[in-house]
């Protein structure tokens, strides 16, 4: 199971200008009792952040939204240029027209 998280806040300039509702997205995988958030910082700079169930609750209270997906993760995302391309490569989505976190959110929310 993979959890895709969406945030409405960012410190970067381009997402503030071009992205509508959601400004950032990141995949979360579950390993035992821990969750690992794969955070896109910039090109070739990806951080792995360990989270607990309490941390996910804190993120939800801070305005993050989550979508659960059942698929096999693809860990070949080293050349991701944006947070959206990282998530698309991670879940194996190959739709060119999805370029913003909100477009990805709408696509994943559809049945």
């Amino acid at each position: 199971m993979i959890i895709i998280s969406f945030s409405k806040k960012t410190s970067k300039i381009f997402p503030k200008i071009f992205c509508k509702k959601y400004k950032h997205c990141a995949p979360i995988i579950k390993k035992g009792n821990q969750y690992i958030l794969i955070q896109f910082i910039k090109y070739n700079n990806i951080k792995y952040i360990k989270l607990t169930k309490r941390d996910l609750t804190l993120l939800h209270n801070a305005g993050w939204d989550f979508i659960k997906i059942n698929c096999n993760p693809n860990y070949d995302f080293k050349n991701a240029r944006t947070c959206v391309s990282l998530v698309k490569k991670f879940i194996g989505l190959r739709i060119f027209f999805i370029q913003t976190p909100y477009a990805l959110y709408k696509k994943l929310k559809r049945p």
Side-chain angles (χ1 to χ4, degrees), residues 11-30:
S11 62
K12 309 244 185 246
I13 294 171
F14 286 118
K16 284 182 180 179
I17 296 170
F18 295 111
C19 299
K20 292 181 183 179
K21 183 176 181 181
Y22 296 108
K23 312 292 186 202
H24 185 68
C25 58
I28 300 173
I29 54 174
K30 185 175 182 179

Side-chain angles (χ1 to χ4, degrees), residues 38-42 44-48 77-78 80 86:
I38 302 171
Q39 179 73 32
F40 177 83
I41 307 297
K42 62 181 180 179
N44 283 336
N45 190 359
I46 297 170
K47 301 289 181 190
Y48 297 89
F77 50 79
K78 300 297 180 200
L86 181 135

Side-chain angles (χ1 to χ4, degrees), residues 8 45 48 57-58 82 88:
K8 298 175 185 172
N45 190 359
Y48 297 89
T57 305
L58 291 173
T82 65
K88 284 175 28 180

Side-chain angles (χ1 to χ4, degrees), residues 50-74:
K50 294 179 182 178
L51 301 172
T52 61
K53 187 80 169 169
R54 180 180 178 271
D55 296 330
L56 290 178
T57 305
L58 291 173
L59 286 175
H60 182 70
N61 292 340
W64 287 62
D65 290 332
F66 301 104
I67 297 177
K68 293 181 183 178
I69 299 174
N70 289 323
C71 68
N72 294 328
N74 180 10

